[in-house]
Amino acid sequence: MATHVDHAARAAAFAALHTPAAPLALANAWDVASARIVEASGAPAVATTSAGVAWSLGSPDGDALARDRALDLVARVVAAVSVPVTADIEGGFGADPAAVGETVTGVLDAGAVGINIEDGHRDPAEQIERLAAARAAADAAGVPLYINARVDTYLRGFGEDATRLDDTLARAAAYLRAGASGVFVPGVLDPATVAELAKGIDAPLNILLGPGAPNVAAFGALGVSRVSLGSWVAEAAYAVVRRAAEELASEGTYGALAHSLPYGELNALLKS
């Protein structure tokens, strides 16, 4: 069992991975098998995707999954890999700041060293209180939890185009003052905007990448310290399920399975 010192050291080591010189690139996992595959690729850390986790447990994404089920999954992933794990906890799995603090305590008990927590449709003032509660819970545990504060202004198209950058920077600054370690701004890939975000946010910037986006190094050159694939990997995996099922039902063939991971390789990953 990891000691308190081990946990704190692992959290500090995870934070140190955030640098534009070599951005932390996270192919988000959603269960033990996907986490093991990500680790085996050489990734220095594993991040969960809230959407993939929820879907794999039979729930829609968006604060619908029960907290205990989410934390159980985090604990299983942490136990299965040797690299640091950061958990996407959606909006915090709690109706108020105190409940968010309880969630964070559960995340730490599970052995994770980081979280993603999103503002979504919440008023920034409310999100500030929730982030402060998360930081207080981590401080009480003596672990420098990496709190990645997700700002959804671009992802959800909040506000006017002309003021969205300023709104995002204002939210980011307030969230950092509340205790966030870094800022995640999904939904933006425009190089000029990304560069302005990196310049204006006094902490590591995380963005969401996917098909059609430039490579990781290009965003590192803009000042980005962390990139994530979010739910894209889980979506791609489920797309194979649909293609295989539809092909089997309509054609009686199996072409969709041509690039499957070999049974023996996957089985071996889960034996170790």
Side-chain angles (χ1 to χ4, degrees):
M1 179 179 294
T3 68
H4 168 76
V5 173
D6 292 337
H7 200 172
R10 182 173 291 237
F14 175 71
L17 294 172
H18 295 72
T19 170
L24 176 59
L26 298 169
N28 301 70
W30 62 95
D31 61 8
V32 167
S34 58
R36 281 278 179 91
I37 291 168
V38 169
E39 180 185 32
S41 76
V46 167
T48 64
T49 160
S50 66
V53 167
W55 296 334
S56 73
L57 296 175
S59 174
D61 189 29
D63 293 314
L65 182 64
R67 177 206 281 163
D68 61 342
R69 300 187 73 203
L71 293 179
D72 176 71
L73 187 282
V74 173
R76 290 174 183 271
V77 168
V78 170
V81 299
S82 60
V83 296
V85 174
T86 182
D88 187 339
I89 61 168
E90 302 190 29
F93 297 120
D96 55 31
V100 173
E102 292 171 0
T103 298
V104 168
T105 297
V107 168
L108 292 169
D109 288 344
V113 299
I115 59 169
N116 272 25
I117 182 168
E118 62 201 52
D119 57 5
H121 291 281
R122 290 187 176 88
D123 184 274
E126 180 184 358
Q127 186 67 359
I128 288 169
E129 294 181 353
R130 296 168 75 85
L131 288 166
R135 176 55 66 199
D139 288 347
V143 177
L145 181 73
Y146 193 96
I147 300 177
N148 203 30
R150 196 178 99 178
V151 181
D152 282 348
T153 45
Y154 283 94
L155 184 67
R156 300 178 185 272
F158 292 151
E160 301 296 327
D161 291 348
T163 59
R164 190 167 294 129
L165 176 60
D166 288 341
D167 181 24
T168 303
L169 292 175
R171 291 187 188 214
Y175 296 167
L176 291 171
R177 289 193 296 270
S181 311
V183 176
F184 181 24
V185 185
V188 57
L189 294 173
D190 171 64
T193 304
V194 171
E196 286 296 319
L197 288 168
K199 178 181 177 182
I201 295 174
D202 190 21
L205 172 65
N206 179 191
I207 62 171
L208 179 68
L209 300 186
N215 66 21
V216 173
F219 285 104
L222 297 175
V224 173
S225 296
R226 171 173 167 176
V227 299
S228 308
L229 298 185
S231 63
W232 278 109
V233 183
E235 290 174 45
Y238 289 126
V240 172
V241 176
R242 183 167 69 178
R243 286 198 301 272
E246 290 179 346
E247 180 186 355
L248 182 64
S250 63
E251 306 294 333
T253 55
Y254 333 102
L257 305 178
H259 301 290
S260 299
L261 189 65
Y263 171 91
E265 185 177 339
L266 183 54
N267 217 37
L269 275 176
L270 294 171
K271 284 182 178 178
S272 59

